[in-house]
Amino acid sequence: MGSSGINAEYMGSSGINAEYMGGRLLQLEAAMESVNQGSVVLALRGKNAVVMTALLRTPSDLASFQKKLFYVDDHMGIGISGLTSDGRRLTKQMQSACINHKYSYSTAQPVERLVIRIADKKALQTQTGSGRPYGVGLLVMGVDETGPRLFETSPSGNYYEYHAHAIGARAQPAKTYLERVFEECKGEEDEKKLIEHSIKALVETIKTKDIKLTVENTAVSVVKVGEAYRGLGNDEIAEYLDRLEDNTAEAEDDDDDDDDDGMDVDGQ
């Protein structure tokens, strides 16, 4: 009897990364979907800094929030969306690469070189039958002699450089916001302005959901020319969230006043 179902359409291979009829790699598609289902991570590049912001998730009310932003080296950090375990493994490999490079050459690991190395590692996983593709997308931010850098790598092994980008579930509203502001942010020297814009972009992803940004579910990190990578503490994040809430309330009040002024009142 002939094979039935999905196995019938594999092209002569039983490996998990076998090519499906039509040129599709099913395991790669599943890995890409893992990224799309992960919580959103976004980043925005200014003149001398990159800011990264993430929405943290918890599997239940009894569990802690999963970490999404990671330190790689003093000049580099990453954000992950997808399988957290895969992200942690790649993070450790990137940290080790930075340590080895600094030990061997007494200089910081070039950002793009490390991004290419990780992208090649991801691509290799799509070509072997003894494993599966990494089910995680990375946003990599860093600084080098050319200034601030921002890259994205996908499970397929592709990588791209961006001025601003977002990955994960409901990333499109954040991308739309970033597309509106990235031109003015390219020359922005004040990292506080970049942080404000990144948090506003994050708010766009939760407008249709019953979620409110708090210090528990919001993570922000910054890497800046001449300064080491740092993650913002709860007090700093709370200041930005309170300011955003106040500005939103004022805008709503102004809209209400405009509506009242524009009403036609008929005394009859």
Side-chain angles (χ1 to χ4, degrees):
M1 293 178 63
S3 298
S4 60
I6 194 171
N7 290 328
E9 300 186 49
Y10 276 99
M11 299 177 65
S13 174
S14 59
I16 63 170
N17 286 322
E19 187 174 358
Y20 195 55
M21 292 293 284
R24 296 166 54 193
L25 295 175
L26 298 185
Q27 286 290 328
L28 180 56
E29 290 183 11
M32 300 289 285
E33 186 60 25
S34 294
V35 179
N36 295 333
Q37 294 296 325
S39 57
V40 65
V41 177
L42 60 92
L44 179 61
R45 192 172 88 187
K47 184 175 182 180
N48 55 12
V50 186
V51 172
M52 190 172 291
T53 306
L55 178 66
L56 308 183
R57 282 180 180 172
T58 176
S60 76
D61 294 337
L62 302 177
S64 61
F65 288 92
Q66 289 186 322
K67 190 174 181 180
K68 302 281 291 183
L69 307 183
F70 296 89
Y71 166 93
V72 174
D73 200 355
D74 286 346
H75 70 298
M76 195 185 314
I78 66 169
I80 67 171
S81 181
L83 297 180
T84 305
S85 56
D86 286 3
R88 287 199 307 268
R89 182 171 182 178
L90 290 174
T91 299
K92 290 180 179 179
Q93 294 177 9
M94 295 175 73
Q95 291 169 340
S96 296
C98 288
I99 292 172
N100 292 336
H101 189 278
K102 189 174 294 184
Y103 178 80
S104 300
Y105 304 104
S106 299
T107 60
Q109 168 79 54
V111 180
E112 187 170 5
R113 185 181 301 173
L114 183 55
V115 170
I116 294 173
R117 180 173 175 177
I118 293 299
D120 288 345
K121 184 180 291 291
K122 286 185 169 185
L124 184 62
Q125 286 300 113
T126 70
Q127 302 166 21
T128 176
S130 60
R132 60 166 177 79
Y134 287 103
V136 65
L138 304 181
L139 287 185
V140 183
M141 65 175 183
V143 294
D144 56 23
E145 66 277 1
T146 66
R149 311 291 297 273
L150 173 62
F151 293 90
E152 180 231 355
T153 72
S154 68
S156 66
N158 288 331
Y159 75 94
Y160 304 94
E161 186 168 13
Y162 289 91
H163 288 288
H165 194 48
I167 59 176
R170 297 193 54 77
Q172 187 56 50
K175 291 179 184 178
T176 302
Y177 178 88
L178 293 172
E179 287 170 358
R180 295 201 304 265
V181 302
F182 87 94
E183 285 288 354
E184 66 180 81
C185 289
K186 283 195 292 187
E188 184 59 66
E189 298 183 3
D190 186 0
E191 69 178 62
K192 293 182 178 180
K193 292 289 186 181
L194 298 177
I195 294 172
E196 289 177 359
H197 280 303
S198 67
I199 292 178
K200 287 179 180 178
L202 191 63
V203 169
E204 294 294 318
T205 68
I206 61 172
K207 280 189 172 181
T208 60
K209 305 183 71 175
D210 188 21
I211 299 176
K212 182 179 180 181
L213 292 185
T214 66
V215 294
E216 287 80 20
N217 65 10
T218 306
V220 182
S221 60
V222 181
V223 64
K224 191 174 183 179
V225 175
E227 297 182 13
Y229 170 98
R230 72 183 184 94
L232 271 63
N234 287 349
D235 291 341
E236 288 182 278
I237 294 176
E239 290 181 10
Y240 287 101
L241 295 180
D242 291 342
R243 192 179 308 143
L244 177 61
E245 189 172 351
D246 292 341
N247 293 340
T248 302
E250 290 178 4
E252 290 176 351
D253 290 341
D254 291 341
D255 290 341
D256 291 340
D257 292 340
D258 292 340
D259 291 341
D260 292 340
D261 293 340
M263 288 177 62
D264 251 348
V265 179
D266 191 347
Q268 294 180 355

